[in-house]
Amino acid sequence: MIETERAGRAFKVRGSVVHAVRDLSFRIEPGEFVGCLGPNGAGKSTTIKMLCGILTPTSGRVRVAGLDPSRARTALARRIGVVFGQRTTLWWDLPLRDSFELVRLLYKVDRKLFAARLDELTEALDLGGFARTPVRQLSLGQRMRGDLAAALLHDPEVLVLDEPTIGLDVVSKAGIRSFLLRVNAERGTTVLLTTHDLGDVERLCRRVLLIDHGRLAFDGSVGDLMATAPGPATIEEVVTRLYTRGRAAPPPVEPV
Amino acid sequence: MVRTYALLAWTWTRAAMAYRASFALMVVLGVCVTATDVAVILVIFSHTTALAGFTRDEVLFLYGAAGLPFALCDLLVSNVDRVSQHIRAGTLDTMLVRPVGTWIQLAADRFAPTRAGRVLQAAAVLGYALAVLDLDAGRLWMVPVMLATGTVIFAAIWTLGGAAQFLLTDAPEVINSFTYGGGQLTQYPLSVYGRDLVRGVTYVLPLAFVNWQPALYVLDRDDPFGTPGFVRFLGPVAAAVLALLAGLAWRQGIRHYRSTGS
């Protein structure tokens, strides 16, 4: 469903070349639920953006749902759903419902299918209370639920989420997580998400990709990830160890 | 494409209509501001009978012939010059993941129906000039050709300006001197300007084909700068070439888009 082959993206920054991502190769099968981890600036967002067609790779090859994202961007858009935790894909000044209606028209979703799908999503994400509220007035949790619904209205084969739980409270997070599990289980939607929240990884992901310095540093199940530690450890410790390999680890914080 | 544009534009229109008083005020203001352009022309002609060899009504014809395509583009496509704002805010990313062309989405973004006031004003001036000027009916076919040519040229300039912002994210105002500057420049007979400037807007940025060259044909005039007669008919060619360049530049811009850091 998602395939990258030695994919890379370089940026020219003040005359020198920075490789945000290089030689990235992985394959995600239909129906998988994959988490993408990595320190800030590791290349996670760049990878996601290459998969959506926003950024054109400067080397290698990327395939999503059988398409080359940067060349067939609009065709691919019909088959994938994308959510950016840091910014909304909804129309800021429009009521949520109008945003959904626009999505229906832009994605050319059949009216009946749309109505059924919207009912389902309204129920699953509990959108009823704020469907008429302009997006700019929604709380972050409400907005994220609205964004998720908008990304799924056209019933995409792949759902790509860039930090979908960022800034959310415990309850909102739990709601989003159980919803994502449901989408993956019931509709067989392939899910790829990036996150800094290890709770997301533990509760959601059957497989973890760890990107560091723009390269794939680990690819395996959560169990395999835990097994990289020499002894018993929490997932925080395991990931800290992987992030700081070859670097000085930050000093542990003494409990007060 | 048209359907998508209409959809997005209608959505923004409804959003704008939420503030009715402000909406009405903006339409009236738009008409008033552009009406001062006409007032300036009338003031000039209260002191003289000819401007660079052109009568008042001929100048109003030139004004309307450039003003109408300019106002149409200002209404319909000028929002593509906000690329750099969308790049910095990261909203271009969200447009790129929708199954619709980015150019259409940008052009329709924050569609401002209040700009329609200027379209009406320019159309009224052109209509007046066409009614009072004693024009050769056999040459009138050039008028719609001229308006279409002008619309394509202004749209292409705005698109080039938008495409340039993929490179020059920090200098969106430079573009305004070509778009709004072009709109101002074409309001008068080009013979009031210096020869080098007119050469520039004929052979480099083809603003002379928005109204000047075709209008010389409609008005049955020789070019004061002495260009040969066939140049009057080159407008559509110039517009097509410019539109092609703008399209290519736009594609390059999208392909070299760098997005933001997160």
Side-chain angles (χ1 to χ4, degrees):
Chain A
M1 194 51 93
I2 299 175
E3 209 186 327
T4 70
E5 209 184 296
R6 299 181 66 90
R9 171 74 202 209
F11 292 99
K12 276 201 197 83
V13 180
R14 282 183 292 269
S16 61
V17 176
V18 176
H19 294 272
V21 170
R22 59 169 124 192
D23 278 346
L24 193 62
S25 303
F26 63 84
R27 232 182 117 86
I28 296 176
E29 302 301 331
E32 277 200 85
F33 201 130
V34 180
C36 185
L37 284 177
N40 293 115
K44 299 186 302 295
S45 289
T46 302
T47 305
I48 292 279
K49 284 172 182 173
M50 286 197 291
L51 298 179
C52 303
I54 294 171
L55 289 175
T56 311
T58 43
S59 61
R61 208 173 67 104
V62 176
R63 289 247 156 209
V64 178
L67 300 168
D68 177 347
S70 67
R71 292 196 181 276
R73 201 184 61 243
T74 45
L76 181 67
R78 271 181 223 294
R79 302 177 55 183
I80 64 171
V82 185
V83 174
F84 299 110
Q86 313 243 32
R87 58 183 65 98
T88 182
T89 50
L90 302 165
W91 284 263
W92 201 241
D93 296 305
L94 299 180
L96 193 54
R97 256 190 359 184
D98 292 19
S99 269
F100 291 158
E101 183 62 16
L102 261 180
V103 167
R104 177 181 87 75
L105 293 158
L106 293 181
Y107 285 81
K108 298 195 172 115
V109 183
D110 173 77
R111 201 180 283 272
K112 268 199 192 134
L113 277 177
F114 172 81
R117 196 95 182 93
L118 184 58
D119 283 347
E120 243 179 79
L121 290 165
T122 304
E123 190 263 322
L125 287 162
D126 195 16
L127 305 172
F130 48 90
R132 286 160 191 276
T133 312
V135 172
R136 61 171 186 273
Q137 291 172 13
L138 299 179
S139 74
L140 187 58
Q142 292 172 329
R143 204 214 77 203
M144 189 56 65
R145 275 137 72 196
D147 259 310
L148 269 172
L152 290 166
L153 276 169
H154 60 291
D155 202 6
E157 298 153 56
V158 184
L159 181 61
V160 178
L161 310 122
D162 196 7
E163 302 191 34
T165 55
I166 192 166
L168 298 185
D169 65 61
V170 205
V171 181
S172 304
K173 259 184 207 172
I176 300 264
R177 283 174 187 159
S178 65
F179 174 75
L180 289 176
L181 282 175
R182 216 176 120 180
V183 170
N184 176 248
E186 288 176 11
R187 305 200 79 96
T189 312
T190 311
V191 183
L192 173 65
L193 62 81
T194 73
T195 187
H196 288 299
D197 187 319
L198 299 170
D200 289 348
V201 178
E202 277 186 307
R203 286 179 189 72
L204 296 174
C205 306
R206 290 190 287 278
R207 179 175 162 200
V208 177
L209 299 175
L210 196 142
I211 297 179
D212 197 10
H213 295 303
R215 294 174 194 270
L216 193 61
F218 174 85
D219 179 359
S221 69
V222 177
D224 296 341
L225 181 75
M226 300 306 286
T228 60
T234 64
I235 189 165
E236 277 82 8
E237 289 165 345
V238 172
V239 171
T240 307
R241 191 173 157 271
L242 289 173
Y243 281 9
T244 51
R245 260 190 312 200
R247 276 172 263 183
V253 181
E254 297 296 332
V256 184
Chain B
M1 235 168 90
V2 176
R3 176 181 161 278
T4 308
Y5 188 94
L7 258 168
L8 292 168
W10 175 236
T11 308
W12 286 110
T13 306
R14 270 186 314 176
M17 292 293 254
Y19 308 96
R20 270 170 211 283
S22 146
F23 179 83
L25 202 66
M26 289 292 285
V27 175
V28 174
L29 263 175
V31 174
C32 289
V33 168
T34 42
T36 59
D37 292 340
V38 180
V40 169
I41 294 174
L42 297 180
V43 166
I44 292 171
F45 280 96
S46 69
H47 295 284
T48 176
T49 52
L51 181 65
F54 289 81
T55 68
R56 187 192 71 180
D57 293 340
E58 285 173 328
V59 172
L60 286 175
F61 175 71
L62 283 165
Y63 171 87
L68 186 53
F70 178 80
L72 266 177
C73 287
D74 188 36
L75 174 73
L76 297 175
V77 300
S78 70
N79 293 327
V80 300
D81 76 358
R82 275 199 286 228
V83 172
S84 65
Q85 286 176 33
H86 287 287
I87 291 176
R88 274 177 286 178
T91 39
L92 194 67
D93 287 1
T94 67
M95 292 186 180
L96 286 165
V97 297
R98 290 188 192 129
V100 179
T102 319
W103 188 85
I104 282 284
Q105 290 186 66
L106 276 165
D109 191 65
R110 308 207 161 262
F111 175 79
T114 50
R115 289 178 182 164
R118 293 193 209 174
V119 179
L120 295 177
Q121 184 262 356
V125 174
L126 182 63
Y128 165 83
L130 283 172
V132 296
L133 284 169
D134 186 22
L135 296 171
D136 178 354
R139 290 172 182 257
L140 282 181
W141 62 269
M142 184 58 104
V143 174
V145 174
M146 165 174 73
L147 294 176
T149 303
T151 308
V152 172
I153 289 175
F154 279 126
I157 294 175
W158 253 299
T159 305
L160 280 168
Q165 291 178 27
F166 285 102
L167 280 173
L168 312 162
T169 324
D170 300 321
E173 285 78 17
V174 178
I175 314 307
N176 289 347
S177 56
F178 293 100
T179 52
Y180 290 93
Q184 292 288 322
L185 180 102
T186 48
Q187 286 181 3
Y188 292 98
L190 289 188
S191 45
V192 305
Y193 302 109
R195 181 174 287 271
D196 288 335
L197 180 67
V198 176
R199 272 201 193 130
V201 298
T202 307
Y203 302 111
V204 184
L205 192 68
L207 285 165
F209 296 100
V210 170
N211 60 346
W212 173 245
Q213 286 291 344
L216 288 174
Y217 170 79
V218 177
L219 299 170
D220 198 7
R221 296 290 201 104
D222 289 329
D223 187 342
F225 293 105
T227 56
F230 72 90
V231 179
R232 312 290 172 269
F233 305 99
L234 289 184
V237 180
V241 171
L242 192 66
L244 185 74
L245 287 175
L248 288 173
W250 186 263
R251 275 177 61 113
Q252 283 301 308
I254 295 277
R255 278 196 82 75
H256 289 96
Y257 172 51
R258 302 163 57 104
S259 188
T260 49
S262 64

